[in-house]
Amino acid sequence: MRTNIRVQTTNDHNYPVLAEALEDGAFSLTGGMSMLGYQGGDIHDAPTVTLMRTTGSTIVQTDTAVDPPLVPIAREFGGQAGQMLAPLHYQGEFSGFIAVHGHGDPRNWSEDDQQHLRAAVADTEALLASASWFDRPLPAPVKHVLVVLSDPVEGRENEYNEWYSGQHLRETLQTPGWSAARRFVLAKDQLSEHLPKQKYLAVYELSTDDPADALAALRGRSNAITPSESISPDDVVAVFTPITDRIERT
């Protein structure tokens, strides 16, 4: 048996495991699945998560290989033969879930099992309601980034930096789908001699599923964004889409 509390936190939108209880022989979701070859991904569109988010329903599966909604990796990598999943809500919004996994043979979950799960949901939601780190709105998940390599016009670097940092970033971030931005300057120490000719980098975080939507929204606000003649026209602008989760040193 394995029980997890997974909550979408302010710094991780993929419902990280915040608490876990394991019986002897059960492996942890925080590392055991990757040892079996599982490559982590965005679970927001998993059938189980979608059902909980859209209906608020608790899912009780005697056999994860048969009972819908089916998630093939549940048994292959998670090891759960049967499971109960109950949604967690914060200020009326779906914010995560409690998962109880049975291993080995399929499991007939008793009414007592389900009552214990309902009690755990109530206790957890009460804790979320009083948690100071959960009081602020969650930032939008980063779906894509737009990068800009640019330089100032000769002799206008101060003007360029004041406009870019003090005005342009904030005006751009008023655009729907543009959630955050940060500027960088080329460092003195480098690993390679092959460097971009531009000195400055801006990175914008986009939260739309399709980057075309964020770009169209920006074009639609072109009159609301103040231009500057201090930026060189020889800039490089590109959108990138992540192909892995964010990986931290362990």
Side-chain angles (χ1 to χ4, degrees):
M1 185 82 71
R2 176 180 61 224
T3 302
N4 299 112
I5 298 175
R6 303 185 64 166
V7 174
Q8 179 164 293
T9 65
T10 55
N11 62 354
D12 190 331
H13 293 270
N14 207 25
Y15 306 109
V17 175
L18 295 190
E20 184 175 62
L22 302 172
E23 277 189 338
D24 290 343
F27 60 80
S28 171
L29 284 188
T30 61
M33 291 175 69
S34 61
M35 292 175 64
L36 295 176
Y38 172 70
Q39 299 296 317
D42 190 341
I43 68 170
H44 287 78
D45 294 327
T48 47
V49 175
T50 299
L51 182 63
M52 287 188 289
R53 184 178 64 245
T54 57
T55 69
S57 300
T58 294
I59 298 169
V60 179
Q61 294 174 302
T62 298
D63 188 341
T64 57
V66 176
D67 300 334
L70 299 180
V71 180
I73 66 168
R75 178 169 291 198
E76 181 181 0
F77 292 110
Q80 52 263 41
Q83 65 180 358
M84 296 189 296
L85 306 173
L88 294 169
H89 294 86
Y90 174 75
Q91 295 185 350
E93 299 291 331
F94 176 74
S95 299
F97 56 95
I98 297 178
V100 183
H101 299 146
H103 298 88
D105 297 325
R107 181 185 179 104
N108 289 312
W109 301 97
S110 68
E111 179 55 37
D112 281 347
D113 292 332
Q114 297 178 52
Q115 179 56 41
H116 286 311
L117 178 58
R118 289 191 287 268
V121 168
D123 289 344
T124 303
E125 289 182 339
L127 290 172
L128 292 179
S130 62
S132 60
W133 57 268
F134 214 68
D135 288 343
R136 57 190 184 278
L138 296 174
V142 179
K143 300 294 184 65
H144 316 274
V145 295
L146 180 141
V147 299
V148 181
L149 288 163
S150 65
D151 270 329
V153 170
E154 186 176 355
R156 303 180 69 172
E157 189 163 1
N158 288 340
E159 177 187 352
Y160 158 84
N161 281 320
E162 289 176 1
W163 164 78
Y164 215 133
S165 298
Q167 184 173 11
H168 185 65
L169 293 184
R170 289 173 173 78
E171 289 182 348
T172 301
L173 292 179
Q174 296 303 309
T175 308
W178 296 67
S179 55
R182 192 177 186 184
R183 294 188 67 217
F184 302 83
V185 64
L186 194 65
K188 177 181 177 181
D189 298 316
Q190 301 288 339
L191 288 174
S192 172
E193 296 179 356
H194 304 289
L195 301 173
K197 68 176 184 178
Q198 292 87 357
K199 179 180 177 181
Y200 290 96
L201 168 70
V203 179
Y204 297 87
E205 297 178 4
L206 309 182
S207 59
T208 55
D209 290 331
D210 188 340
D213 294 337
L215 299 178
L218 184 67
R219 295 188 186 101
R221 294 190 62 251
S222 59
N223 292 335
I225 297 177
T226 307
S228 175
E229 296 181 355
S230 64
I231 183 172
S232 169
D234 298 325
D235 57 355
V236 175
V237 182
V239 177
F240 292 85
T241 298
I243 58 175
T244 70
D245 286 336
R246 186 173 182 268
I247 299 173
E248 297 183 353
R249 184 180 66 181
T250 57

